Amino acid sequence: QVQLVESGGGLVQAGGSLRLSCAASGSISSINVMGWFRQAPGKQRELVALISRGGSTNYRDSVKGRFTISRDNANNTEYLQMNSLKPEDTAVYYCFANIWTLTLGKSNDYWGQGTQVTVSS
């Protein structure tokens, strides 16, 4: 079917940068909105950023000016560039995509496996 594979997580010092990637593969017809969510231990999962197929973006207030979401429609890939990282950004980051497949006849939500981002003081 469809698979989303994430990469780019890791351990960085406060003020550092990471770039997350999420590549979708499988029986894809088209991808609608894509985005990133994160979940810290003991906390609710929260939306980080969204990007439409046309490139319109939305960010939660706490990451505005520091994070940039982008997508490469030709390669079914989305990215999250994270700069000026803070310890509060520590979480498991999950990529998300709403995708029309070639066989199901409807769009479905798909999730990546999650990648750990840890920001040290």
Side-chain angles (χ1 to χ4, degrees):
Q1 187 60 25
V2 173
Q3 185 177 25
L4 271 57
V5 179
E6 301 180 35
S7 62
L11 173 63
V12 297
Q13 295 179 334
S17 298
L18 284 174
R19 190 185 192 222
L20 306 183
S21 299
C22 176
S25 61
S27 57
I28 297 170
S29 178
S30 63
I31 303 179
N32 299 316
V33 65
M34 306 182 81
W36 294 89
F37 291 73
R38 67 187 182 187
Q39 187 166 22
K43 303 294 185 180
Q44 296 278 359
R45 184 179 64 178
E46 63 184 21
L47 174 68
V48 177
L50 291 174
I51 183 167
S52 72
R53 181 170 180 81
S56 298
T57 59
N58 284 283
Y59 301 90
R60 70 179 301 107
D61 287 343
S62 62
V63 308
K64 288 180 179 177
R66 300 189 297 119
F67 291 11
T68 302
I69 187 171
S70 61
R71 62 190 287 172
D72 180 351
N73 291 333
N75 292 294
N76 293 328
T77 302
E78 66 173 308
Y79 306 92
L80 186 68
Q81 178 66 47
M82 303 184 293
N83 299 325
S84 301
L85 282 162
K86 304 175 180 179
E88 305 92 270
D89 297 316
T90 295
V92 177
Y93 284 69
Y94 298 91
C95 67
F96 157 85
N98 182 264
I99 298 174
W100 281 93
T101 66
L102 295 173
T103 57
L104 293 181
K106 65 177 182 178
S107 67
N108 287 308
D109 294 340
Y110 295 89
W111 295 88
Q113 80 279 9
T115 185
Q116 177 70 47
V117 172
T118 302
V119 184
S120 62
S121 301

